[in-house]
C-alpha cells in the first residue's frame, strides 16, 4: 500500500488488485480453457462457439463441478494406440508419461515402472485430466 498526502490516505496498488481479481475468478484458467478449445475445434463461427462454451462453463460453475476435458475416451484409446506401436496391448511407464504430456498433463510422473494396459491408461488419463480440469469459483 502507498501512503498519500498528509492525512495518510491509503491507495491500493492497481496491479495487486488486478492480480487478485484474476486469481479469485480464475480468469487465466478460463482463458486458457477457451483458447485451447477454440484452437482444437477451429469452428466456422468462433464467437458462437465461445458463447456455447461459456454457457457450459457457467453450468459447471453453478453446479460446482469441473468443466469436462475436451478429450473423450475414444481420444484416449487413439493416444494409447499411438504409443502401442507393436500392438502388444501394453505401453511403458515412460510412454505413459509422454502421453500425459501430450494430453496437457505436464507434471505427471508414473508411480510404477510396470507396463500399463489400455484400461489402466484410460483410468490414469481420466484421473489426471480431472486434476487439471477447469474449476471456477462459486458464484457469489
Amino acid at each position: 500500500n502507498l501512503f498519500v498526502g498528509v492525512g495518510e490516505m491509503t491507495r491500493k496498488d492497481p496491479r495487486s488488485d488486478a492480480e487478485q481479481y484474476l486469481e479469485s475468478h480464475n480468469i487465466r484458467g478460463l482463458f486458457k480453457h477457451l483458447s485451447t478449445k477454440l484452437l482444437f475445434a477451429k469452428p466456422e463461427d468462433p464467437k458462437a462457439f465461445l458463447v456455447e462454451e461459456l454457457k457450459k462453463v457457467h453450468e459447471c460453475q453453478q453446479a460446482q463441478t469441473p468443466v469436462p476435458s475436451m478429450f473423450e475416451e475414444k481420444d484416449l484409446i487413439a493416444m494409447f494406440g499411438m504409443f502401442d506401436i507393436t500392438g502388444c496391448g501394453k505401453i511403458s511407464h515412460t510412454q505413459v508419461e509422454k502421453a500425459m504430456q501430450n494430453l496437457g498433463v505436464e507434471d505427471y510422473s508414473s508411480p510404477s515402472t510396470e507396463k500399463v494396459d489400455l484400461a489402466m491408461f484410460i483410468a490414469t488419463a481420466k484421473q489426471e485430466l480431472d486434476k487439471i480440469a477447469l474449476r471456477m469459483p462459486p458464484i457469489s
Side-chain angles (χ1 to χ4, degrees):
N1 289 336
L2 299 172
F3 293 105
V4 180
V6 179
E8 293 191 0
M9 297 181 354
T10 55
R11 256 187 358 187
K12 286 188 155 200
D13 176 14
R15 285 177 287 169
S16 176
D17 284 350
E19 187 63 38
Q20 184 179 359
Y21 179 82
L22 291 171
E23 189 72 29
S24 68
H25 294 284
N26 196 11
I27 301 297
R28 286 190 184 96
L30 176 62
F31 277 22
K32 180 180 177 184
H33 171 82
L34 292 173
S35 59
T36 299
K37 293 278 283 207
L38 187 66
L39 294 172
F40 187 77
K42 296 183 180 90
E44 252 334 277
D45 185 350
K47 287 179 258 177
F49 177 85
L50 288 171
V51 167
E52 289 305 310
E53 193 57 36
L54 280 168
K55 286 178 184 176
K56 292 176 191 172
V57 169
H58 190 254
E59 288 171 8
C60 290
Q61 184 179 23
Q62 287 179 314
Q64 279 300 283
T65 58
V67 178
S69 169
M70 66 182 183
F71 296 107
E72 298 175 8
E73 191 161 318
K74 65 181 172 102
D75 301 314
L76 302 177
I77 293 168
M79 177 72 70
F80 182 87
M82 290 169 48
F83 284 95
D84 183 20
I85 54 176
T86 62
C88 70
K90 293 195 176 201
I91 61 175
S92 71
H93 69 281
T94 305
Q95 290 171 310
V96 172
E97 289 174 0
K98 185 63 180 165
M100 292 302 149
Q101 287 176 353
N102 290 344
L103 293 170
V105 179
E106 297 169 8
D107 60 349
Y108 178 77
S109 180
S110 182
S112 168
T113 56
E114 297 291 316
K115 290 204 170 212
V116 174
D117 66 10
L118 177 60
M120 179 58 76
F121 175 77
I122 289 172
T124 301
K126 285 181 176 181
Q127 180 180 2
E128 293 300 314
L129 288 168
D130 183 66
K131 287 180 188 176
I132 65 166
L134 177 65
R135 287 173 169 77
M136 298 302 293
I139 299 170
S140 32

